[in-house]
Amino acid sequence: MGKLAERLADERRSGVYRLEVTDALEEAAAIDGFPIVRVALDDAEGGQLLAACARALALRVDGDWAGLATALADPAWSPAAGHVLLFSGFEALVRREPDALAPLLATLRAAAARRRMQGLRFFAAFLDPTRTLSLDPLYDRRRHSAITVARETDQGGAA
């Protein structure tokens, strides 16, 4: 968990990622004091994706995706030291409309870049255990789990 908490604490790492499970993210966000805003896209349609995201994020967005990026980058949106947006349930939408998430991903990347320039932390993570999206992993649990097991075994602890 230490590595993930360190990553979340580093504004230079702000960005858009995927992850396979949420337990490590939830623990690391709690360590860093970042709220996790969950955005369930289970029933989302491509045409209503902007409205669904704005509603889930409790933002008033007039206009388009650029307006959402501006709202997310505005420090007045939330007083927290950092933000973690956790997106789930997008698989059916992507199967129906393969490019439906493109404007959302671009918006989240723009918001993360603006937050980075402000010295603030902003992470959007897509719960994607099947690796549907071409995103870098926020946390590679298999790599870190193997390291933990190896350390415990080397030190004589339980594996």
Coordinates of all heavy atoms in Angstrom, one line a residue, residues 67-151:
G67 N -16.4 22.1 -20.5 CA -17.0 22.7 -19.3 C -16.8 21.7 -18.1 O -16.5 22.2 -17.0
L68 N -16.9 20.4 -18.4 CA -16.6 19.5 -17.3 C -15.2 19.5 -16.9 O -14.9 19.5 -15.7 CB -17.0 18.0 -17.7 CG -16.8 16.9 -16.7 CD1 -17.7 17.2 -15.4 CD2 -17.2 15.6 -17.2
A69 N -14.3 19.6 -17.8 CA -12.8 19.6 -17.5 C -12.5 20.9 -16.7 O -11.8 20.8 -15.7 CB -12.0 19.6 -18.8
T70 N -13.1 22.0 -17.1 CA -12.9 23.2 -16.3 C -13.4 23.1 -14.9 O -12.8 23.5 -13.9 CB -13.6 24.4 -17.1 OG1 -13.0 24.5 -18.4 CG2 -13.4 25.7 -16.3
A71 N -14.6 22.5 -14.8 CA -15.2 22.4 -13.4 C -14.4 21.5 -12.5 O -14.2 21.7 -11.4 CB -16.6 21.8 -13.6
L72 N -13.9 20.4 -13.1 CA -13.1 19.4 -12.3 C -11.7 20.1 -11.9 O -11.2 19.7 -10.9 CB -12.8 18.2 -13.1 CG -14.0 17.2 -13.3 CD1 -13.7 16.1 -14.2 CD2 -14.4 16.7 -11.9
A73 N -11.2 20.9 -12.8 CA -9.9 21.6 -12.5 C -10.0 22.7 -11.5 O -9.0 23.2 -11.0 CB -9.3 22.0 -13.8
D74 N -11.2 23.2 -11.3 CA -11.4 24.4 -10.4 C -11.2 23.9 -9.0 O -12.0 23.1 -8.5 CB -12.8 24.9 -10.6 CG -13.1 26.2 -9.8 OD1 -12.3 26.6 -9.0 OD2 -14.2 26.8 -10.1
P75 N -10.3 24.5 -8.2 CA -10.1 24.1 -6.8 C -11.3 24.3 -6.0 O -11.4 23.7 -4.9 CB -8.9 25.1 -6.4 CG -8.2 25.4 -7.6 CD -9.3 25.5 -8.7
A76 N -12.2 25.2 -6.4 CA -13.5 25.4 -5.6 C -14.4 24.2 -5.7 O -15.3 24.1 -4.8 CB -14.2 26.7 -6.1
W77 N -14.2 23.3 -6.6 CA -15.0 22.1 -6.7 C -15.0 21.3 -5.4 O -16.1 20.9 -5.0 CB -14.6 21.3 -7.9 CG -15.3 19.9 -8.0 CD1 -16.6 19.7 -7.9 CD2 -14.6 18.7 -8.0 NE1 -16.8 18.3 -8.0 CE2 -15.6 17.7 -8.0 CE3 -13.3 18.3 -8.0 CZ2 -15.3 16.3 -8.1 CZ3 -13.0 16.9 -8.1 CH2 -14.0 16.0 -8.1
S78 N -13.9 21.2 -4.8 CA -13.7 20.4 -3.6 C -12.5 20.9 -2.9 O -11.5 21.1 -3.5 CB -13.6 18.9 -3.9 OG -13.3 18.2 -2.8
P79 N -12.6 21.0 -1.5 CA -11.5 21.5 -0.8 C -10.5 20.4 -0.4 O -9.4 20.7 0.2 CB -12.1 22.0 0.5 CG -13.4 21.1 0.7 CD -13.8 20.9 -0.7
A80 N -10.7 19.2 -0.9 CA -9.7 18.1 -0.6 C -8.4 18.3 -1.2 O -8.2 19.0 -2.2 CB -10.3 16.8 -1.1
A81 N -7.3 17.8 -0.5 CA -6.0 17.9 -1.0 C -5.7 17.1 -2.3 O -4.8 17.4 -3.1 CB -5.0 17.5 0.0
G82 N -6.6 16.2 -2.6 CA -6.5 15.4 -3.8 C -7.8 14.7 -4.1 O -8.7 14.7 -3.2
H83 N -7.9 14.2 -5.3 CA -9.2 13.6 -5.7 C -8.9 12.3 -6.4 O -8.0 12.2 -7.2 CB -9.9 14.5 -6.7 CG -10.3 15.8 -6.1 ND1 -9.4 16.9 -6.0 CD2 -11.4 16.2 -5.4 CE1 -10.0 17.9 -5.4 NE2 -11.2 17.5 -5.0
V84 N -9.8 11.4 -6.1 CA -9.8 10.1 -6.8 C -11.2 9.9 -7.3 O -12.2 9.8 -6.6 CB -9.4 8.9 -5.9 CG1 -9.5 7.6 -6.7 CG2 -8.0 9.1 -5.4
L85 N -11.3 9.8 -8.7 CA -12.6 9.4 -9.3 C -12.5 8.0 -9.7 O -11.6 7.6 -10.4 CB -12.9 10.3 -10.5 CG -12.8 11.8 -10.3 CD1 -13.1 12.6 -11.6 CD2 -13.6 12.3 -9.1
L86 N -13.5 7.2 -9.3 CA -13.5 5.8 -9.6 C -14.7 5.4 -10.5 O -15.8 5.5 -10.0 CB -13.5 4.9 -8.3 CG -13.6 3.4 -8.4 CD1 -12.3 2.9 -9.2 CD2 -13.7 2.8 -7.1
F87 N -14.4 5.1 -11.7 CA -15.4 4.8 -12.7 C -15.6 3.3 -12.8 O -14.6 2.5 -12.9 CB -15.0 5.3 -14.1 CG -15.0 6.8 -14.1 CD1 -13.9 7.6 -13.7 CD2 -16.1 7.5 -14.6 CE1 -13.9 9.0 -13.7 CE2 -16.2 8.9 -14.6 CZ -15.0 9.6 -14.2
S88 N -16.8 2.8 -12.9 CA -17.1 1.4 -13.0 C -18.3 1.2 -13.9 O -19.0 2.2 -14.2 CB -17.3 0.8 -11.6 OG -18.5 1.4 -11.0
G89 N -18.5 0.0 -14.3 CA -19.7 -0.4 -15.1 C -19.8 0.2 -16.5 O -20.8 0.3 -17.0
F90 N -18.6 0.4 -17.1 CA -18.6 1.0 -18.5 C -18.5 0.0 -19.6 O -18.6 0.3 -20.7 CB -17.4 1.9 -18.6 CG -16.1 1.2 -18.3 CD1 -15.4 0.5 -19.3 CD2 -15.6 1.2 -17.0 CE1 -14.3 -0.2 -18.9 CE2 -14.4 0.6 -16.7 CZ -13.8 -0.2 -17.7
E91 N -18.4 -1.3 -19.2 CA -18.1 -2.3 -20.2 C -19.2 -2.5 -21.2 O -18.9 -2.6 -22.4 CB -17.9 -3.7 -19.5 CG -16.7 -3.7 -18.6 CD -16.9 -3.2 -17.2 OE1 -18.0 -2.7 -16.9 OE2 -16.0 -3.4 -16.4
A92 N -20.5 -2.5 -20.8 CA -21.6 -2.6 -21.8 C -21.6 -1.4 -22.7 O -21.8 -1.6 -23.9 CB -22.9 -2.7 -21.0
L93 N -21.4 -0.3 -22.2 CA -21.3 0.9 -23.1 C -20.2 0.8 -24.1 O -20.5 1.1 -25.3 CB -21.1 2.2 -22.2 CG -20.9 3.5 -23.0 CD1 -22.1 3.9 -23.8 CD2 -20.6 4.6 -22.0
V94 N -19.1 0.4 -23.7 CA -17.9 0.2 -24.7 C -18.2 -0.9 -25.7 O -17.8 -0.7 -26.9 CB -16.6 0.0 -23.9 CG1 -15.5 -0.4 -24.8 CG2 -16.2 1.2 -23.1
R95 N -18.9 -1.9 -25.3 CA -19.3 -2.9 -26.3 C -20.3 -2.4 -27.3 O -20.1 -2.7 -28.5 CB -19.9 -4.2 -25.6 CG -18.9 -5.1 -25.0 CD -19.5 -6.5 -24.6 NE -20.4 -6.4 -23.5 CZ -20.2 -6.3 -22.2 NH1 -18.9 -6.3 -21.9 NH2 -21.1 -6.2 -21.3
R96 N -21.2 -1.6 -26.9 CA -22.2 -1.0 -27.8 C -21.6 0.1 -28.6 O -21.9 0.2 -29.8 CB -23.4 -0.4 -27.0 CG -24.4 -1.4 -26.5 CD -25.6 -0.7 -25.9 NE -25.4 0.4 -25.1 CZ -25.2 0.4 -23.7 NH1 -25.2 -0.8 -23.1 NH2 -25.0 1.5 -23.0
E97 N -20.8 0.9 -28.0 CA -20.2 2.1 -28.7 C -18.7 2.1 -28.3 O -18.3 2.7 -27.3 CB -20.9 3.4 -28.2 CG -22.4 3.4 -28.4 CD -23.0 4.6 -27.8 OE1 -22.5 5.7 -28.1 OE2 -24.0 4.5 -27.0
P98 N -17.9 1.5 -29.1 CA -16.5 1.4 -28.8 C -15.7 2.7 -28.5 O -14.8 2.7 -27.6 CB -15.8 0.7 -30.0 CG -17.0 0.0 -30.6 CD -18.2 0.8 -30.3
D99 N -16.1 3.8 -29.1 CA -15.5 5.1 -28.8 C -16.2 6.0 -27.9 O -15.9 7.2 -27.7 CB -15.3 5.8 -30.1 CG -14.3 5.0 -31.1 OD1 -13.4 4.4 -30.5 OD2 -14.5 5.1 -32.3
A100 N -17.2 5.5 -27.2 CA -18.1 6.3 -26.3 C -17.3 7.0 -25.2 O -17.6 8.1 -24.8 CB -19.2 5.5 -25.7
L101 N -16.2 6.3 -24.7 CA -15.5 6.9 -23.6 C -14.4 7.9 -24.0 O -13.8 8.6 -23.1 CB -14.8 5.8 -22.7 CG -15.8 4.9 -21.9 CD1 -15.0 3.9 -21.1 CD2 -16.7 5.7 -21.0
A102 N -14.2 8.0 -25.3 CA -13.1 8.9 -25.8 C -13.2 10.3 -25.2 O -12.2 10.9 -24.7 CB -13.0 8.9 -27.3
P103 N -14.4 11.0 -25.3 CA -14.5 12.3 -24.8 C -14.3 12.4 -23.3 O -13.7 13.4 -22.8 CB -15.9 12.8 -25.2 CG -16.6 11.6 -25.6 CD -15.6 10.6 -26.0
L104 N -14.8 11.4 -22.6 CA -14.6 11.4 -21.1 C -13.1 11.2 -20.8 O -12.6 12.0 -19.9 CB -15.4 10.2 -20.5 CG -15.2 10.0 -19.0 CD1 -15.5 11.2 -18.2 CD2 -16.0 8.8 -18.5
L105 N -12.4 10.3 -21.4 CA -11.0 10.1 -21.1 C -10.2 11.4 -21.4 O -9.3 11.8 -20.7 CB -10.5 9.0 -22.0 CG -11.0 7.6 -21.6 CD1 -10.6 6.5 -22.6 CD2 -10.6 7.2 -20.2
A106 N -10.5 12.1 -22.6 CA -9.8 13.3 -22.9 C -10.1 14.4 -21.9 O -9.2 15.2 -21.5 CB -10.3 13.8 -24.3
T107 N -11.4 14.5 -21.4 CA -11.8 15.4 -20.4 C -11.0 15.2 -19.1 O -10.5 16.1 -18.4 CB -13.3 15.4 -20.1 OG1 -13.9 15.7 -21.3 CG2 -13.7 16.2 -19.0
L108 N -10.9 13.9 -18.7 CA -10.2 13.6 -17.4 C -8.8 13.9 -17.5 O -8.1 14.4 -16.6 CB -10.5 12.1 -17.1 CG -12.0 11.8 -16.7 CD1 -12.1 10.3 -16.6 CD2 -12.4 12.5 -15.4
R109 N -8.2 13.6 -18.7 CA -6.7 13.9 -18.9 C -6.5 15.4 -18.8 O -5.5 15.9 -18.2 CB -6.3 13.3 -20.2 CG -6.1 11.8 -20.2 CD -5.6 11.3 -21.5 NE -5.5 9.8 -21.5 CZ -6.1 9.0 -22.2 NH1 -7.0 9.4 -23.1 NH2 -6.0 7.7 -22.1
A110 N -7.4 16.2 -19.4 CA -7.3 17.6 -19.4 C -7.4 18.2 -17.9 O -6.6 19.0 -17.5 CB -8.3 18.3 -20.3
A111 N -8.3 17.6 -17.2 CA -8.5 18.1 -15.8 C -7.3 17.7 -15.0 O -6.8 18.5 -14.1 CB -9.8 17.4 -15.2
A112 N -6.7 16.5 -15.2 CA -5.5 16.0 -14.4 C -4.4 16.9 -14.8 O -3.6 17.3 -13.9 CB -5.2 14.6 -14.8
A113 N -4.2 17.3 -16.0 CA -3.1 18.2 -16.4 C -3.2 19.6 -15.8 O -2.2 20.1 -15.3 CB -3.1 18.3 -18.0
R114 N -4.4 20.1 -15.7 CA -4.6 21.4 -15.1 C -4.4 21.3 -13.6 O -3.7 22.2 -13.0 CB -6.1 21.9 -15.3 CG -6.3 22.3 -16.8 CD -7.7 22.7 -17.0 NE -8.0 22.9 -18.4 CZ -9.2 23.1 -18.8 NH1 -10.3 23.2 -18.0 NH2 -9.4 23.3 -20.1
R115 N -4.8 20.3 -13.0 CA -4.6 20.1 -11.5 C -3.1 19.9 -11.3 O -2.6 20.5 -10.3 CB -5.3 18.8 -11.0 CG -6.8 19.0 -10.9 CD -7.1 19.7 -9.6 NE -8.5 19.9 -9.5 CZ -9.1 20.2 -8.3 NH1 -8.3 20.3 -7.2 NH2 -10.4 20.4 -8.2
R116 N -2.4 19.2 -12.1 CA -0.9 19.0 -12.0 C -0.3 20.4 -12.0 O 0.6 20.7 -11.2 CB -0.4 18.2 -13.1 CG 0.2 16.9 -12.7 CD 0.9 16.2 -13.8 NE 0.5 16.4 -15.2 CZ -0.4 15.7 -15.8 NH1 -1.0 14.7 -15.2 NH2 -0.8 15.9 -17.1
M117 N -0.6 21.2 -13.0 CA 0.0 22.6 -13.1 C -0.3 23.4 -11.8 O 0.5 24.3 -11.5 CB -0.5 23.3 -14.3 CG 0.0 22.6 -15.6 SD -0.3 23.4 -17.2 CE -1.9 24.2 -17.0
Q118 N -1.4 23.2 -11.2 CA -1.8 23.9 -9.9 C -1.1 23.3 -8.7 O -1.3 23.8 -7.6 CB -3.3 23.9 -9.7 CG -4.1 24.5 -10.8 CD -5.6 24.2 -10.8 OE1 -6.0 23.4 -10.0 NE2 -6.3 24.8 -11.6
G119 N -0.4 22.2 -8.9 CA 0.3 21.5 -7.8 C -0.7 20.7 -7.0 O -0.5 20.4 -5.8
L120 N -1.8 20.3 -7.6 CA -2.9 19.5 -6.9 C -2.9 18.1 -7.5 O -2.5 17.9 -8.6 CB -4.2 20.2 -7.1 CG -4.3 21.6 -6.6 CD1 -5.6 22.3 -7.0 CD2 -4.2 21.6 -5.1
R121 N -3.4 17.2 -6.7 CA -3.5 15.8 -7.1 C -4.9 15.4 -7.6 O -5.9 15.8 -7.0 CB -3.1 14.9 -5.9 CG -1.6 15.2 -5.6 CD -1.2 14.7 -4.3 NE -1.8 15.3 -3.1 CZ -1.4 16.5 -2.6 NH1 -0.4 17.2 -3.2 NH2 -1.9 17.0 -1.6
F122 N -4.9 14.7 -8.7 CA -6.2 14.3 -9.3 C -6.0 13.0 -10.1 O -5.2 12.9 -11.0 CB -6.6 15.4 -10.3 CG -7.9 15.1 -11.0 CD1 -9.1 15.6 -10.5 CD2 -7.9 14.4 -12.2 CE1 -10.3 15.3 -11.1 CE2 -9.1 14.2 -12.9 CZ -10.3 14.6 -12.3
F123 N -6.7 12.0 -9.7 CA -6.6 10.7 -10.3 C -8.0 10.2 -10.7 O -8.9 10.2 -9.9 CB -6.0 9.7 -9.3 CG -4.6 10.0 -8.9 CD1 -4.3 10.9 -7.9 CD2 -3.5 9.5 -9.6 CE1 -3.0 11.3 -7.6 CE2 -2.2 9.8 -9.3 CZ -2.0 10.7 -8.3
A124 N -8.1 9.7 -11.9 CA -9.3 9.1 -12.4 C -8.9 7.6 -12.7 O -7.9 7.4 -13.4 CB -9.8 9.7 -13.7
A125 N -9.6 6.7 -12.1 CA -9.3 5.3 -12.2 C -10.5 4.6 -12.7 O -11.7 4.8 -12.2 CB -8.8 4.7 -10.9
F126 N -10.3 3.7 -13.7 CA -11.4 2.9 -14.2 C -11.2 1.5 -13.7 O -10.2 0.9 -13.9 CB -11.4 2.9 -15.8 CG -11.9 4.2 -16.3 CD1 -11.1 5.3 -16.3 CD2 -13.2 4.3 -16.8 CE1 -11.6 6.5 -16.8 CE2 -13.7 5.5 -17.3 CZ -12.9 6.6 -17.3
L127 N -12.2 1.0 -13.0 CA -12.2 -0.4 -12.5 C -12.4 -1.3 -13.8 O -13.4 -1.4 -14.3 CB -13.3 -0.7 -11.5 CG -13.4 -2.1 -10.9 CD1 -12.1 -2.4 -10.3 CD2 -14.5 -2.2 -9.9
D128 N -11.2 -1.9 -14.2 CA -11.2 -2.6 -15.4 C -10.4 -3.9 -15.3 O -9.3 -4.1 -15.8 CB -10.5 -1.7 -16.5 CG -10.5 -2.2 -17.9 OD1 -11.2 -3.2 -18.1 OD2 -9.8 -1.7 -18.7
P129 N -11.0 -4.9 -14.6 CA -10.2 -6.2 -14.4 C -9.9 -7.0 -15.6 O -9.0 -7.8 -15.7 CB -11.1 -7.0 -13.4 CG -12.5 -6.4 -13.5 CD -12.3 -4.9 -13.9
T130 N -10.7 -6.7 -16.7 CA -10.5 -7.4 -18.0 C -9.6 -6.7 -18.9 O -9.4 -7.1 -20.0 CB -11.8 -7.8 -18.7 OG1 -12.5 -6.5 -18.9 CG2 -12.7 -8.6 -17.8
R131 N -9.1 -5.5 -18.5 CA -8.2 -4.7 -19.3 C -8.8 -4.3 -20.6 O -8.2 -4.4 -21.7 CB -6.8 -5.4 -19.5 CG -6.1 -5.6 -18.2 CD -4.8 -6.3 -18.4 NE -4.2 -6.6 -17.1 CZ -2.9 -6.9 -17.0 NH1 -2.2 -7.0 -18.0 NH2 -2.4 -7.1 -15.8
T132 N -10.0 -3.9 -20.6 CA -10.8 -3.5 -21.8 C -10.2 -2.2 -22.3 O -10.1 -2.0 -23.5 CB -12.3 -3.3 -21.4 OG1 -12.8 -4.5 -20.9 CG2 -13.1 -2.8 -22.6
L133 N -9.8 -1.3 -21.4 CA -9.3 0.0 -21.8 C -7.8 0.0 -22.0 O -7.1 -0.6 -21.2 CB -9.7 1.1 -20.8 CG -11.2 1.2 -20.6 CD1 -11.5 2.2 -19.5 CD2 -12.0 1.5 -21.8
S134 N -7.3 0.8 -22.9 CA -5.9 1.0 -23.1 C -5.3 2.1 -22.2 O -5.0 3.2 -22.7 CB -5.6 1.3 -24.6 OG -6.0 0.2 -25.4
L135 N -5.3 1.8 -20.9 CA -4.8 2.7 -19.9 C -3.7 2.1 -19.1 O -3.7 0.9 -18.9 CB -6.0 3.2 -19.0 CG -7.1 3.9 -19.6 CD1 -8.2 4.1 -18.5 CD2 -6.7 5.2 -20.1
D136 N -2.8 2.9 -18.7 CA -1.8 2.4 -17.8 C -2.4 2.0 -16.4 O -3.3 2.6 -16.0 CB -0.7 3.4 -17.5 CG 0.2 3.7 -18.8 OD1 0.3 2.8 -19.6 OD2 0.7 4.8 -18.9
P137 N -1.8 1.0 -15.8 CA -2.4 0.6 -14.5 C -2.0 1.6 -13.4 O -0.8 2.2 -13.4 CB -1.7 -0.7 -14.2 CG -0.5 -0.7 -15.0 CD -0.7 0.1 -16.2
L138 N -2.9 1.9 -12.5 CA -2.6 2.8 -11.4 C -1.7 2.0 -10.4 O -0.8 2.6 -9.8 CB -3.8 3.3 -10.7 CG -3.7 4.1 -9.5 CD1 -2.9 5.4 -9.8 CD2 -5.0 4.5 -8.9
Y139 N -2.0 0.8 -10.3 CA -1.3 -0.1 -9.3 C -1.3 -1.5 -9.9 O -2.3 -2.0 -10.2 CB -2.1 0.0 -8.0 CG -1.6 -0.9 -6.9 CD1 -0.4 -0.6 -6.2 CD2 -2.3 -2.0 -6.5 CE1 0.1 -1.4 -5.2 CE2 -1.8 -2.8 -5.5 CZ -0.6 -2.5 -4.8 OH -0.2 -3.3 -3.8
D140 N -0.1 -2.1 -9.9 CA 0.0 -3.5 -10.4 C 0.0 -4.4 -9.2 O 1.0 -4.7 -8.6 CB 1.2 -3.6 -11.3 CG 1.3 -5.0 -11.9 OD1 0.5 -5.9 -11.6 OD2 2.1 -5.2 -12.8
R141 N -1.2 -4.8 -8.8 CA -1.3 -5.6 -7.5 C -0.5 -6.9 -7.6 O 0.1 -7.4 -6.7 CB -2.7 -5.9 -7.2 CG -3.4 -6.9 -8.0 CD -4.9 -7.0 -7.5 NE -5.6 -7.8 -8.5 CZ -5.7 -9.1 -8.5 NH1 -5.2 -9.8 -7.5 NH2 -6.4 -9.7 -9.4
R142 N -0.4 -7.5 -8.8 CA 0.3 -8.8 -9.0 C 1.8 -8.5 -8.7 O 2.5 -9.3 -8.1 CB 0.1 -9.4 -10.3 CG -1.3 -10.1 -10.4 CD -1.5 -10.6 -11.8 NE -1.8 -9.4 -12.6 CZ -2.5 -9.5 -13.7 NH1 -2.8 -10.6 -14.2 NH2 -2.8 -8.4 -14.4
R143 N 2.3 -7.5 -9.3 CA 3.8 -7.2 -9.1 C 4.1 -6.9 -7.6 O 5.0 -7.4 -7.0 CB 4.2 -6.0 -9.9 CG 5.7 -5.8 -9.9 CD 6.1 -4.7 -10.8 NE 6.8 -3.7 -10.0 CZ 6.7 -2.4 -10.0 NH1 6.0 -1.8 -10.9 NH2 7.4 -1.7 -9.2
H144 N 3.2 -6.1 -7.0 CA 3.5 -5.8 -5.6 C 3.2 -6.9 -4.6 O 3.8 -7.1 -3.6 CB 2.7 -4.5 -5.2 CG 3.2 -3.3 -5.9 ND1 4.3 -2.7 -5.6 CD2 2.6 -2.6 -6.9 CE1 4.5 -1.7 -6.4 NE2 3.5 -1.6 -7.2
S145 N 2.2 -7.8 -5.0 CA 1.9 -9.0 -4.2 C 3.1 -9.9 -4.2 O 3.5 -10.5 -3.2 CB 0.6 -9.7 -4.7 OG -0.5 -8.8 -4.5
A146 N 3.7 -10.1 -5.4 CA 4.8 -11.0 -5.6 C 6.0 -10.5 -4.7 O 6.7 -11.3 -4.1 CB 5.2 -11.1 -7.0
I147 N 6.2 -9.2 -4.7 CA 7.3 -8.6 -3.9 C 7.1 -8.8 -2.5 O 7.9 -9.2 -1.7 CB 7.5 -7.1 -4.2 CG1 8.0 -6.9 -5.7 CG2 8.4 -6.4 -3.3 CD1 7.9 -5.5 -6.2
T148 N 5.8 -8.6 -2.0 CA 5.5 -8.8 -0.6 C 5.7 -10.3 -0.2 O 6.3 -10.5 0.8 CB 4.0 -8.4 -0.4 OG1 3.9 -7.0 -0.7 CG2 3.6 -8.6 1.1
V149 N 5.2 -11.2 -1.0 CA 5.4 -12.6 -0.7 C 6.9 -13.0 -0.6 O 7.3 -13.7 0.3 CB 4.6 -13.5 -1.7 CG1 5.0 -15.0 -1.5 CG2 3.1 -13.3 -1.5
A150 N 7.7 -12.5 -1.6 CA 9.1 -12.8 -1.6 C 9.8 -12.2 -0.4 O 10.6 -12.9 0.2 CB 9.7 -12.2 -2.9
R151 N 9.4 -11.0 0.0 CA 10.1 -10.4 1.2 C 9.7 -11.2 2.4 O 10.6 -11.5 3.3 CB 9.6 -9.0 1.4 CG 10.2 -8.0 0.5 CD 9.9 -6.6 0.8 NE 10.3 -5.7 -0.2 CZ 9.6 -4.7 -0.6 NH1 8.4 -4.4 0.0 NH2 10.0 -3.9 -1.6

